[in-house]
Amino acid sequence: MHLTGKVHESMNGFINVLKPPGMSSAAVVGFVKRMTKEKHVGHAGTLDPEAAGVLPVMIGRATRLFDYLVDKEKSYVAECAFGASTDTQDAQGTVLETGDQYPDLDTVRRACLQLTGDILQRPSMYSAIKVGGKPLYARARRGEEVEVPERTVHIEHIEVMGEMADHGVLLRVDCGRGTYIRSVCDDLGRLTGCPAHMRFLLRTRSGAFTIEQAMTLEEMAAFAEAGTLAEHLLPLDLPLQHLPELSLPMKMQKQALNGVRFPAPPEITEGQNVRTSLGNRFLGITRREGHEMVWKVLILPEPGEFEPRK
């Protein structure tokens, strides 16, 4: 069980960062650390440096919840550029093949239908997938030749939104975790008979985090300067809404705050994780093990923080 007791973080929660293109996910974490002055900061779900969009960042005690977040459901807007394929499957790579048999939108739509559902995908050699314990992109930069393994990924839906300049097609993709949109564009080139690559990528959703609620780096800096950044943190249990909820009665306050096991409600199934609160305060994650609920993450209140439900 992860137990957080006498901690001194002044900020605990999530920031839904609108990552700009040209910045790595690690660099965003470094920026958030400077703005919050917190040591415990991490991101949930990497975005490539060239991509923009939703990057959930965990601050303080939120980092304890990483294993329980759902980031399987993701949405992207991407531009697929027909006419050339590249070794990185995006606009940053070296051109491998060119062609001028540009497909019309109906042809692209038919190809998209072949890429929905559970499909086999072979990502670029310049991806973060590890083979032999090392990322493929690191091997590629050293000139190594490695067979990139195919993986099964799930694509729920691809919408062809319209044409763009220079033989581009704008796509909206709803997919599962681990899907490479670069590879989707490369596959569309193969299926339509005209080489293609990804020219632009924007992530609009990652689990419970959407682009509508995302915060720019400039906004974050302004809030930090004004001393109001803590007021804009998203609550600890926001991305846990997929879990069933259990609210313990106030008579169990002493047991709960000491991490004591308690009888499992009959509606909770074996092995099920539950977001658990005491009164109106989220306390952490419990899991049913046999006839008992066991604390897997217990986030204790700081002095003066706990306010029981009246």
Side-chain angles (χ1 to χ4, degrees):
M1 176 180 71
H2 297 301
L3 181 65
T4 60
K6 295 180 180 180
V7 294
H8 301 284
E9 292 94 349
S10 59
M11 295 190 191
N12 300 287
F14 293 86
I15 294 181
N16 181 4
V17 177
L18 183 60
K19 190 189 87 64
M23 188 176 190
S24 70
S25 298
V28 171
V29 167
F31 182 88
V32 175
K33 283 185 176 181
R34 293 193 297 274
M35 293 300 103
T36 61
K37 297 180 172 56
E38 296 293 336
K39 293 188 299 181
H40 301 293
V41 178
H43 62 77
T46 303
L47 264 180
D48 288 342
E50 296 77 20
V54 169
L55 181 67
V57 176
M58 308 167 288
I59 299 170
R61 290 176 284 177
T63 57
R64 300 282 190 175
L65 301 169
F66 176 79
D67 291 340
Y68 301 93
L69 305 182
V70 166
D71 63 349
K72 294 180 180 180
E73 299 173 349
K74 299 179 185 293
S75 297
Y76 298 88
V77 172
E79 182 182 358
C80 180
F82 290 92
S85 62
T86 72
D87 58 355
T88 60
Q89 299 178 339
D90 61 19
Q92 310 303 314
T94 301
V95 173
L96 297 177
E97 184 182 3
T98 60
D100 58 6
Q101 300 300 308
Y102 306 112
D104 58 26
L105 292 184
D106 285 339
T107 300
V108 176
R109 289 189 180 96
R110 288 193 294 271
C112 287
L113 291 176
Q114 298 182 57
L115 294 176
T116 56
D118 292 331
I119 65 168
L120 283 176
Q121 187 177 78
R122 191 185 301 278
S124 164
M125 181 71 184
Y126 291 84
S127 67
I129 297 172
K130 291 185 178 181
V131 173
K134 296 181 180 179
L136 284 173
Y137 64 78
R139 292 179 175 273
R141 289 168 183 167
R142 289 197 297 267
E144 296 182 26
E145 291 291 335
V146 178
E147 179 68 20
V148 181
E150 285 189 323
R151 307 187 307 166
T152 300
V153 298
H154 181 78
I155 298 180
E156 186 67 26
H157 180 67
I158 305 177
E159 178 186 355
V160 178
M161 301 174 67
E163 293 181 302
M164 303 292 285
D166 299 324
H167 312 292
V169 174
L170 195 64
L171 307 171
R172 182 163 59 211
V173 183
D174 297 322
C175 60
R177 183 179 186 178
T179 304
Y180 276 83
I181 309 302
R182 288 183 282 166
S183 298
V184 171
C185 294
D186 187 76
D187 286 341
L188 284 175
R190 174 178 51 81
L191 291 171
T192 60
C194 184
H197 64 276
M198 186 184 74
R199 185 180 285 159
F200 165 82
L201 182 65
L202 174 70
R203 184 158 68 191
T204 59
R205 179 173 65 117
S206 179
F209 300 92
T210 64
I211 199 166
E212 290 79 12
Q213 63 182 184
M215 181 187 300
T216 66
L217 301 184
E218 293 77 12
E219 289 172 331
M220 193 188 312
F223 292 142
E225 178 68 21
T228 60
L229 183 54
E231 300 171 16
H232 295 274
L233 297 189
L234 300 171
L236 289 168
D237 59 343
L238 174 73
L240 303 174
Q241 302 304 305
H242 60 286
L243 298 178
E245 183 180 17
L246 178 61
S247 181
L248 301 178
M250 290 309 303
K251 65 182 181 180
M252 292 182 62
Q253 178 174 339
K254 183 177 180 180
Q255 300 146 277
L257 297 184
N258 283 284
V260 176
R261 299 182 177 207
F262 56 92
E267 65 272 17
I268 304 301
T269 60
E270 176 67 23
Q272 191 170 29
N273 293 316
V274 179
R275 53 188 169 101
T276 305
S277 60
L278 179 66
N280 61 351
R281 187 197 186 279
F282 171 71
L283 278 189
I285 304 292
T286 56
R287 178 184 302 163
R288 179 165 185 164
E289 296 182 3
H291 297 292
E292 295 180 312
M293 299 300 293
V294 179
W295 290 94
K296 309 308 291 186
V297 179
L298 176 56
I299 300 177
L300 297 179
E302 295 181 12
E305 179 186 352
F306 185 71
E307 295 182 4
R309 176 177 291 162
K310 297 181 180 179

